[in-house]
Amino acid sequence: MWAVRILNGPQAGQIFNLKSGKNILGRAGQADIQVIAQGVSKAHCEIQVLKDKIIIVDLKSSNGTYVNGIKIQNSILHLGEKFSLHEILLDIVPAQELRPARSQLPAVSHSGNAYPAVGNAALQMGNFPQPHVGVQSQAYAQAAPAPEMAESAPSARPNLFAGILEQFKAYLERVVLPGVYKLAQMFDFKLVLLGFVGAFIFIVTLLSMIPMSQLAKSSILKESRNRASSLARNLAATNKKAVVENSGALSTYSAEVEEGVKTVFIIQDIDGMILAPSTKAGRVSELSFVQKVRKERRALTVELDSSTIAASAPIEGYDVENGEMKTKAHAIVIYDVSSLAFDEGKTISLFMQTLMIASLVGFFLFFFIYKLIEFPIKNLSLQLDTALREKRSDLEMTFQFEPLQNLIANMNSVLTRSHHGEGGGGQAESSSENRDEEASNLTKMIGAPAMVVAADNRILSANSSFEQLARVSLPTLQQNGLTFIPDNSLQQNIEHLMGKSREVPYAIHSDHLEFNGLMCTIQCQGFLSGNSICYFLITILPQSGAPG
C-alpha cells in the first residue's frame, strides 16, 4: 500500500493513504485527498494505484502538475519521487512505513514560506515545532500491526489448485501464446482475428449439437415408451373378453399394423404359452422379458436395447373358485424406437441452420472487437504525430485497460525527456571529465557553502564549507547522492529547487532554511549545455541583516 506525503505549505507533514484505483487530489471538499492551498484546482490531479505501477494524471488544472520539476499530462511515479501541485510539493512513501516514521516528518518553517523547514538534524540544533501528522495517518498508525507481529503470522500453505493453475499459465506463456503471436507475424492481423472468431463459431455450433442430440434422443425414447405402453393396454382391453371367456377369438391385428411395432403377442400367465397371433400360438417365448412379466404380473415398460422398447399389460378376469380378480394373460408389444428418430438429413439441416445464425452473430462480434482494438492504436498514432510536431507530452486515452494506460504513461515520459533534451549521450559523455573539473573549480572559487550536482543527480563537487554545514564528506556524497545528506529538509529543498530550475533554467531559484538559529538563503542556478541542463550550482548564504 502507498501513501502521499505533503512536504510544504499549510499542510506540511500530513500523510494520506492511497486506495487502489483512482485517487483525486484537489482543493474541493469531495476530493479523495484535499490539498488546501492557493493555486491548487478543485480537482487538480488524479493518482491511479495499479498492481505494479502508480500513474499520475493532470486533470486540466489551472497551474499544472509537475513531476521532478517537469510539467506533465500523465506520468509514472516511483517511490521517493517528488511531484507538485503548483507550489505544493509532495512525494510517494510506503504506507507500512508511516507509523515508525512519524517523528521524522518535515515541519513547517518559522518564516511561513511554502517549503519544508529543517529536518531531523536541524531539530536537534533548535526548538522547532514537531510535525503535524494528518488524521488519516494517525488512524493508520494506531491500526497498523507491529512489524514483528506481521512477520510472525503463519504463511499460507500452498494450494494444489493454485499450483496447477500456475503451471497451466506458464504452459500458455511458453508454448501456446508464442505460436499465437507468430500467426500475426505471418498473416494479416485482421485475418488472424477473423480466423479465431470463425473457429469459435464452428466449434461452439458443433458442440451445441451434442446436448441437442441428447435432448432429442431422450424425448424420442420417452415418447416411444408411452406409445408402446399405450399399444399394450389397448391390446389387452381388446382381447380381455376373449381371454376371460376362453372363446379363442383373439386378435393382434390392430397393434401389428401400427408404425414402429416389431412384434405383438398374447401369452398365458400359467405357462407362458403364446395364445396369439395364430402363427405363433402354442409356442413358448424365450424372451427374458416374458419371464419378468409373468413374475411381477403388472404393467411393465423396459428398454431391451438402445433401439427397442418392450411393454406389457395384464389381462385380468374374475376367478370363481377364489372369488377374486386373477391375471390370466399378458399383452406384449415390442416397439422399434428408430421409427421416431431424426434421420441424418434433418440433423445436418439443423446443424447448418444453427451455424448460419451463429455466423451472423459472429460477424458483428468480429467487427466490434476489431474496431475496439483499432481505435486506440489509430488515436494514439495521431496524438503522437501531433505531439512530435508541437513538442507536447499530453497523450491520453480514457480506455480502462491497464497495459494501454502504462503504454501512454511511458510514451509521455519519453516525449517529456525528448523535448527537454534529457538522456543525451555522445558529446555529453565525452565532456563529462571537463564538467567535473569545471564544477570542482567553481566550488573552490566560492567562499560560501557550495555544491555542484549533475543533471542525473550525481554529486560532482562540494567545498569544505558545504561539507561542514551538511555534516557529510564529499566522497560520501559522490558515492550515495543527495539522499545521504543527514538534514532531510536541506535535501528536499535542494531537490525542489533543482526541479524549479529544470522548469525555468535561466533564472536563479531560492529558498530559505534555518541552520542552528541562523536563517540562510539556498540558491540554485542551472547551467545549460545546448538545450539541456548539464549541472546545477547550489549555494547557501546568510540572509542580509542576519548576524555574522
Side-chain angles (χ1 to χ4, degrees):
M1 190 63 184
W2 307 100
V4 166
R5 177 171 58 183
I6 302 179
L7 300 175
N8 66 345
Q11 294 174 274
Q14 291 190 12
I15 302 176
F16 301 92
N17 293 337
L18 293 171
K19 67 178 185 290
S20 296
K22 297 180 180 180
N23 300 264
I24 304 297
L25 281 70
R27 199 178 70 253
Q30 60 268 29
D32 297 312
I33 298 177
Q34 189 176 17
V35 181
I36 305 173
Q38 291 185 353
V40 176
S41 301
K42 293 182 179 179
H44 198 102
C45 72
E46 174 184 288
I47 295 180
Q48 300 175 4
V49 180
L50 307 177
K51 291 181 181 178
D52 56 349
K53 283 183 179 132
I54 301 177
I55 298 176
I56 182 170
V57 181
D58 182 73
L59 300 177
K60 303 187 186 306
S61 60
S62 301
N63 296 306
T65 303
Y66 300 82
V67 175
N68 294 326
I70 299 174
K71 189 174 183 179
I72 57 94
Q73 173 60 35
N74 54 57
S75 178
I76 295 178
L77 282 176
H78 300 285
L79 179 63
E81 279 192 332
K82 307 294 188 300
F83 65 98
S84 58
L85 282 56
H86 188 42
E87 294 291 340
I88 301 301
L89 189 65
L90 309 94
D91 66 352
I92 298 292
V93 295
Q96 61 266 28
E97 296 181 3
L98 297 184
R99 188 171 60 87
R102 283 180 63 187
S103 59
Q104 300 178 4
L105 298 176
V108 180
S109 74
H110 290 293
S111 59
N113 59 69
Y115 298 97
V118 291
N120 293 337
L123 285 172
Q124 295 173 1
M125 293 187 287
N127 296 323
F128 296 97
Q130 294 297 319
H132 171 68
V133 181
V135 175
Q136 295 186 21
S137 63
Q138 291 180 10
Y140 177 85
Q142 295 173 2
E148 296 80 3
M149 294 177 61
E151 293 176 359
S152 63
S155 58
R157 295 182 179 180
N159 188 292
L160 179 60
F161 177 76
I164 295 175
L165 184 61
E166 287 299 324
Q167 291 180 2
F168 178 70
K169 288 182 178 178
Y171 177 77
L172 287 178
E173 292 290 341
R174 292 195 308 266
V175 180
V176 179
L177 290 180
V180 174
Y181 302 147
K182 190 69 176 178
L183 290 175
Q185 299 172 16
M186 298 171 59
F187 305 101
D188 183 79
F189 177 77
K190 185 183 293 186
L191 295 178
V192 175
L193 184 60
L194 183 61
F196 276 109
V197 174
F200 170 79
I201 292 171
F202 181 80
I203 292 173
V204 170
T205 303
L206 186 63
L207 293 178
S208 68
M209 296 302 296
I210 296 176
M212 191 178 300
S213 300
Q214 294 293 332
L215 181 62
K217 182 179 179 180
S218 176
S219 299
I220 290 172
L221 185 60
K222 182 178 179 180
E223 179 62 24
S224 298
R225 291 173 65 95
N226 292 338
R227 184 166 175 75
S229 178
S230 177
L231 289 172
R233 289 195 303 270
N234 290 337
L235 183 63
T238 302
N239 294 276
K240 181 176 181 179
K241 183 177 181 181
V243 170
V244 171
E245 295 177 358
N246 197 19
S247 62
L250 301 178
S251 174
T252 59
Y253 179 78
S254 60
E256 289 174 341
V257 297
E258 292 291 337
E259 183 180 359
V261 175
K262 297 174 66 175
T263 304
V264 177
F265 49 86
I266 300 173
I267 64 168
Q268 192 168 294
D269 181 70
I270 298 175
D271 53 11
M273 184 179 296
I274 297 177
L275 301 176
S278 58
T279 55
K280 299 179 181 180
R283 303 178 188 176
V284 176
S285 176
E286 297 179 356
L287 285 175
S288 59
F289 177 69
V290 172
Q291 304 303 323
K292 186 176 182 180
V293 167
R294 292 177 57 207
K295 182 179 180 181
E296 298 193 15
R297 295 180 177 177
R298 60 184 178 87
L300 293 176
T301 304
V302 298
E303 297 179 35
L304 299 182
D305 54 49
S306 60
S307 62
T308 307
I309 299 291
S312 70
I315 301 176
E316 296 179 337
Y318 184 76
D319 189 349
V320 178
E321 295 180 0
N322 297 328
E324 60 183 10
M325 298 298 292
K326 182 179 179 181
T327 301
K328 295 182 176 294
H330 301 274
I332 297 176
V333 175
I334 309 298
Y335 190 83
D336 185 6
V337 177
S338 61
S339 63
L340 294 178
F342 283 154
D343 58 23
E344 293 184 359
K346 291 181 179 179
T347 303
I348 295 175
S349 175
L350 180 62
F351 172 77
M352 295 304 298
Q353 292 177 32
T354 306
L355 183 62
M356 290 180 62
I357 296 173
S359 299
L360 183 62
V361 176
F363 171 77
F364 289 101
L365 177 66
F366 161 76
F367 176 78
F368 287 116
I369 290 178
Y370 183 78
K371 288 299 180 182
L372 195 63
I373 298 172
E374 180 188 49
F375 174 76
I377 297 176
K378 291 178 64 176
N379 187 273
L380 279 180
S381 179
L382 293 174
Q383 289 190 57
L384 182 60
D385 183 60
T386 303
L388 289 173
R389 289 199 311 268
E390 301 178 3
K391 293 186 177 182
R392 293 162 43 195
S393 57
D394 55 353
L395 304 182
E396 60 180 358
M397 178 63 62
T398 56
F399 274 35
Q400 300 300 315
F401 186 47
E402 183 178 336
L404 181 62
Q405 293 296 335
N406 292 341
L407 173 63
I408 294 173
N410 288 329
M411 291 173 68
N412 281 328
S413 180
V414 170
L415 287 172
T416 301
R417 289 182 172 87
S418 174
H419 297 336
H420 290 80
E422 294 186 5
Q427 182 179 357
E429 293 177 0
S430 65
S431 61
S432 61
E433 294 183 1
N434 293 335
R435 287 205 306 271
D436 292 352
E437 185 176 355
E438 177 182 327
S440 178
N441 294 335
L442 192 60
T443 54
K444 290 178 182 178
M445 294 172 61
I446 300 175
M451 176 179 64
V452 175
V453 183
D456 58 1
N457 290 340
R458 290 183 300 110
I459 308 298
L460 299 181
S461 178
N463 57 22
S464 57
S465 299
F466 186 89
E467 291 178 318
Q468 293 175 5
L469 182 66
R471 299 193 305 282
V472 62
S473 64
L474 177 59
T476 302
L477 286 174
Q478 289 177 329
Q479 182 178 358
N480 299 280
L482 290 172
T483 58
F484 213 73
I485 296 178
D487 192 331
N488 190 43
S489 292
L490 176 60
Q491 171 196 332
Q492 294 175 359
N493 274 267
I494 291 174
E495 291 175 348
H496 180 66
L497 290 176
M498 289 168 58
K500 299 294 289 184
S501 186
R502 283 191 177 96
E503 182 183 349
V504 185
Y506 297 100
I508 297 176
H509 302 276
S510 62
D511 201 351
H512 306 288
L513 190 63
E514 188 175 1
F515 291 94
N516 202 18
L518 178 64
M519 186 61 66
C520 297
T521 299
I522 306 175
Q523 295 182 332
C524 176
Q525 169 69 59
F527 290 84
L528 298 176
S529 176
N531 294 325
S532 61
I533 292 178
C534 59
Y535 60 80
F536 303 90
L537 174 62
I538 312 294
T539 61
I540 302 176
L541 302 172
Q543 284 191 1
S544 59

